[in-house]
């Protein structure tokens, strides 16, 4: 499925959908914030988004689960994470069509990798994600699980366990596609930041020639 982009008869420059992914504590939140500041400083319309969005009804259920305050079976929490993205899909499309670049901290790749790492079938995990908007750029912040575990405040949430994160890393590798750029997340912050800035500017520039498309429809 592809989307045409006309606004009052004129082709509008659209924003880019830029996703940062990686294991827990790899530095996504830090780098998303830095990228948004950089793009704003360059006069580009940009917003910071994150999944799960813990402020919606589904997000509150997810947050309660992640902080071990409630129990849900693996399929149920998987579908809640997906619903948490679907409830933002229309807004996401409107923002992108109107020229706003979205820098998103986690997306469907987290959804599939974390649930598959629990033993759920990858194809089953991908199914509810089909039809969400496909990112223009996925920056994967690559870090050894052991190194991420040494970073501050590790271990407070449900999935922050070393053996589990090793399994998640395995499934992330399976999902790597043409939109992915892998960056060594153990480098100093500024070096990572510079690489992401370059990739983001290229993506914002090149996405003008590509209509929005849907994720994993052919899988
Ligand atoms: N999940 C999520 C699913 O199972 N399914 C889904 O569909 C989705 C969307 C919550 C959990 O939900 C799971 C995945 C997660 O387990 P979250 O709220 O994004 O997801 O939780 P975290 O990934 O754990 O987010 P964090 O904010 O904790 O980690 P970040 O964002 O990766 O890391 P950040 O930037 O906060 O940095 C962590 C620490 O490292 C330092 C920072 O200063 C900070 O102290 N740091 C560095 N140190 C040295 N060198 C660098 N280059 C550094 N970069 C950052």
């Amino acid at each position: 499925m592809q989307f045409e982009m006309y606004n009052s008869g004129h082709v509008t420059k659209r924003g880019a959908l830029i996703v940062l992914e990686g294991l827990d504590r790899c530095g996504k939140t830090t780098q998303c914030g830095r990228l948004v500041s950089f793009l704003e400083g360059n006069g580009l319309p940009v917003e910071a988004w994150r999944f799960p969005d813990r402020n919606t009804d589904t997000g509150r259920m997810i947050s309660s689960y992640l902080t071990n305050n409630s129990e849900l079976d693996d399929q149920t929490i998987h579908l809640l994470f997906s619903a948490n993205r679907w409830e933002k899909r229309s807004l996401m499309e409107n923002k992108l069509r109107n020229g706003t670049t979205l820098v998103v901290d986690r997306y469907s790749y987290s959804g599939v990798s974390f649930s598959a790492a629990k033993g759920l079938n990858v194809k089953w995990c991908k199914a509810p994600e089909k039809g969400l908007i496909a990112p223009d750029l996925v920056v994967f912040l690559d870090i050894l699980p052991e190194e991420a575990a040494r970073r501050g405040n590790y271990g407070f949430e449900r999935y922050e366990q070393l053996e589990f994160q090793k399994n998640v890393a395995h499934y992330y590798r399976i999902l790597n596609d043409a939109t992915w750029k892998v960056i060594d997340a153990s480098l100093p912050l500024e070096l990572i930041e510079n690489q992401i800035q370059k990739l983001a500017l290229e993506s914002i520039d090149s996405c003008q020639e590509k209509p929005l498309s849907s994720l994993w429809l052919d899988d």
Side-chain angles (χ1 to χ4, degrees), residues 130-185:
K130 291 184 181 197
L132 288 170
I133 300 172
D136 297 293
L137 169 67
V138 179
V139 175
F140 182 72
L141 294 179
D142 196 15
I143 193 167
L144 285 174
E146 292 82 355
E147 182 167 350
R150 285 194 289 273
R151 290 188 173 171
N153 295 322
Y154 189 88
F156 289 111
E157 289 210 329
R158 186 180 286 264
Y159 295 148
E160 291 177 353
Q161 298 167 33
L162 189 52
E163 288 311 310
F164 182 71
Q165 294 283 324
K166 287 181 184 173
N167 216 4
V168 173
H170 165 74
Y171 285 101
Y172 264 128
R173 281 192 284 275
I174 289 173
L175 297 175
N176 185 329
D177 64 30
T179 62
W180 282 46
K181 301 291 178 193
V182 179
I183 292 182
D184 180 353

Side-chain angles (χ1 to χ4, degrees), residues 75-127:
Q75 289 84 353
T76 305
I77 186 64
H78 181 77
L79 294 173
L80 279 177
F81 272 117
S82 189
N84 188 243
R85 284 183 278 280
W86 274 102
E87 63 190 354
K88 290 296 169 75
R89 190 206 165 285
S90 299
L91 182 62
M92 183 178 265
E93 184 179 341
N94 289 340
K95 298 266 182 192
L96 292 168
R97 281 179 180 279
N98 288 328
T100 302
T101 286
L102 303 179
V103 174
V104 185
D105 187 342
R106 292 196 183 281
Y107 199 52
S108 302
Y109 310 93
S110 290
V112 173
S113 302
F114 280 76
S115 292
K118 295 173 171 176
L120 297 185
N121 176 278
V122 171
K123 204 169 173 189
W124 186 91
C125 292
K126 276 183 162 182

Side-chain angles (χ1 to χ4, degrees), residues 24-30 54 85 106 111 114 151 187:
D24 291 11
R25 317 304 285 162
C26 68
K28 298 176 308 302
T29 307
T30 305
R54 301 190 192 215
R85 284 183 278 280
R106 292 196 183 281
F114 280 76
R151 290 188 173 171
L187 293 172

